[in-house]
Amino acid sequence: TIPQVKALLWLAKETQRDLVLPNVLGSERIKSLGKYLNQSLWPGFRVVSVESELKVNVLEPSYYWRVQRDYDPVPDPHVVYFRDDEELLKIKQSLDDSKDHPRVILHGMSSKNLIQQTKSIEHSLFIWAADSVGFFTHNYSTIRKFYVKIPSIVKDNLTGKEFELADSIEKNVRKCGNIFGALKGNRTCFMICP
């Protein structure tokens, strides 16, 4: 959802990281898109249009895969988990605590059975991170049952520069009006979309 993407943009800017927006996994029933390994995916970098004033690098999911393939080895991902009951500022602190890791995967977990979930999910996250598209090891119907949303930006909890950044994101991020619509093959669809 757009509030989650805005929260990711806020975290990227606040922690001075580039943001790889993952491809969006859709229902198995979607027929308007081509399939990748039998999964409906919408390109993550097409989900939102970010104005240049924000100065956040939004990278496509294949970024690390391409660097690994064409140039140099890439850093292994470090998983930063957040619980479904955590606020955005706590997640920011967890990312700040991981500043020695140049590549992180942010992943939400249910507050129940955290240790069991961590063991079963970490391997799937590494497979997803190594793929050029972002392969999901389960289908949409299964993942949806366990999915934990990143909390939205709550401006009331922010002050100073944090508040100003949240306000700027609110004004300078536009969502795609046709997620899971047929792709027209143009990476600049925001220029032609009403």
Side-chain angles (χ1 to χ4, degrees):
T1 65
I2 192 69
Q4 290 179 280
V5 173
K6 288 178 177 180
L8 288 171
L9 287 164
W10 185 86
L11 286 168
K13 183 70 174 178
E14 280 290 312
T15 60
Q16 299 178 358
R17 292 182 177 270
D18 294 334
L19 174 62
V20 176
L21 275 179
N23 286 325
V24 179
L25 179 64
S27 170
E28 298 86 354
R29 296 176 296 191
I30 294 173
K31 304 292 184 214
S32 59
L33 299 174
K35 302 282 185 171
Y36 175 72
L37 300 176
N38 207 30
Q39 296 175 326
S40 301
L41 296 173
W42 179 257
F45 63 91
R46 293 186 188 198
V47 173
V48 293
S49 173
V50 180
E51 298 298 325
S52 60
E53 292 84 28
L54 288 177
K55 296 181 181 163
V56 174
N57 288 330
V58 178
L59 307 172
E60 64 179 309
S62 65
Y63 173 77
Y64 284 105
W65 178 84
R66 289 179 196 273
V67 170
Q68 178 84 28
R69 181 191 69 183
D70 297 337
Y71 303 106
D72 294 311
V74 297
D76 290 330
H78 170 71
V79 182
V80 174
Y81 294 99
F82 67 91
R83 293 187 324 269
D84 53 3
D85 59 353
E86 287 186 59
E87 293 185 7
L88 203 57
L89 288 172
K90 172 71 171 103
I91 296 169
K92 176 187 175 288
Q93 183 60 53
S94 296
L95 288 169
D96 286 339
D97 293 344
S98 299
K99 66 180 175 239
D100 292 337
H101 299 278
R103 181 181 181 201
V104 298
I105 297 172
L106 186 60
H107 186 75
M109 304 290 280
S110 170
S111 297
K112 302 171 189 167
N113 303 320
L114 281 176
I115 294 172
Q116 181 181 358
Q117 290 178 69
T118 303
K119 290 178 181 176
S120 65
I121 198 72
E122 199 155 284
H123 180 70
S124 298
L125 292 172
F126 290 144
I127 290 171
W128 171 83
D131 193 75
S132 65
V133 175
F135 176 65
F136 293 89
T137 55
H138 299 289
N139 64 23
Y140 174 82
S141 301
T142 302
I143 289 175
R144 186 171 176 219
K145 294 175 190 172
F146 305 102
Y147 183 73
V148 173
K149 291 182 178 182
I150 191 166
S152 300
I153 299 170
V154 179
K155 290 199 248 179
D156 294 347
N157 297 345
L158 306 174
T159 59
K161 289 184 179 181
E162 291 174 339
F163 179 87
E164 289 172 19
L165 175 60
D167 196 49
S168 179
I169 287 173
E170 192 64 38
K171 293 174 182 169
N172 293 301
V173 175
R174 188 167 59 120
K175 73 174 185 163
C176 172
N178 193 23
I179 291 180
F180 296 120
L183 294 174
K184 297 182 172 87
N186 185 342
R187 290 179 177 243
T188 60
C189 59
F190 281 98
M191 293 179 177
I192 58 174
C193 182

